[in-house]
Amino acid sequence: MPEPVPFFPAPAPSGPNADDLAALRDADRRRRTLTRTAFAVGFVLIGAALAAPVLAQVPPRQAATALLVALALTAVVGMCGDARQWLTDRYELARGTGPGAGWRIVRRWYAPGSVVWYADTVAPPAPLVVLGWVHDPACHQPWALVHDGTEPDPATGVWGAYWVPLEELAPHPADYPAGPAEPDAAAGPGGFGVVA
């Protein structure tokens, strides 16, 4: 009879650490960027080797015009990607309620620049400003980078900005009156409706 294989349980996690998650996300982004760059360079070299005999026959003025158009298209695609990222950080598609309700664009209550509060009554009801948010597939919920208005002080370890799980935040203070909200109170920054 073979000897049983010893089982050593994994150490218990010390709790979620958003800084580690951000570092892993940055490392993954760098790795993907290097991979994409390597593939792009490879395809460009293959394309250049195949197109070199044809390009030798093209007049220089037409080749320069084609290169300029290609660079302009690349810039337009990059600007469209930046605009898409900006929009998805601040807005989302929400399905309306009721019969015949369709989809509508609403502002995220945790969009960058929004003012939020802690959801529980343990923390003081001080307003926090959202600087950004991230929803990594490794997390079961998004995290928000918030700033509490304090000045950074590296000597004491107070930075003012820190990561908080989104479930700990709310668009209104914890002691916000329950009941039907008035139109002005239900409107988020910029007059857009808040989706809870």
Side-chain angles (χ1 to χ4, degrees):
M1 180 177 226
E3 289 290 320
V5 178
F7 173 73
F8 299 105
S14 61
N17 190 340
D19 293 333
D20 292 341
L21 179 64
L24 287 172
R25 188 169 183 247
D26 289 342
D28 185 50
R29 186 184 306 127
R30 272 189 243 109
R31 183 186 53 79
R32 282 187 287 156
T33 301
L34 286 174
T35 304
R36 288 177 184 165
T37 303
F39 275 113
V41 167
F43 282 121
V44 165
L45 290 176
I46 291 171
L50 294 175
V54 175
L55 290 177
Q57 304 300 320
V58 176
R61 187 173 194 173
Q62 289 178 352
T65 303
L67 179 65
L68 187 63
V69 168
L71 290 175
L73 286 175
T74 304
V76 167
V77 168
M79 288 190 321
C80 289
D82 292 343
R84 179 186 170 277
Q85 182 67 37
W86 187 90
L87 285 171
T88 55
D89 279 352
R90 288 158 179 81
Y91 301 96
E92 64 183 338
L93 278 175
R95 185 155 180 87
T97 57
W103 293 88
R104 59 191 177 107
I105 298 173
V106 293
R107 183 174 169 85
R108 295 180 190 269
W109 62 266
Y110 51 92
S114 299
V115 177
V116 297
W117 287 263
Y118 279 106
D120 55 0
T121 56
V122 176
L128 304 167
V129 177
V130 178
L131 301 177
W133 64 275
V134 63
H135 191 188
D136 195 279
C139 296
H140 71 282
Q141 67 170 326
W143 286 66
L145 180 64
V146 296
H147 189 270
D148 59 5
T150 59
E151 291 294 325
D153 185 9
T156 61
V158 175
W159 293 99
Y162 47 91
W163 290 95
V164 179
L166 200 58
E167 69 184 7
E168 295 181 11
L169 298 176
H172 302 292
D175 57 355
Y176 192 73
E182 296 186 31
D184 291 340
F192 294 97
V194 176
V195 174

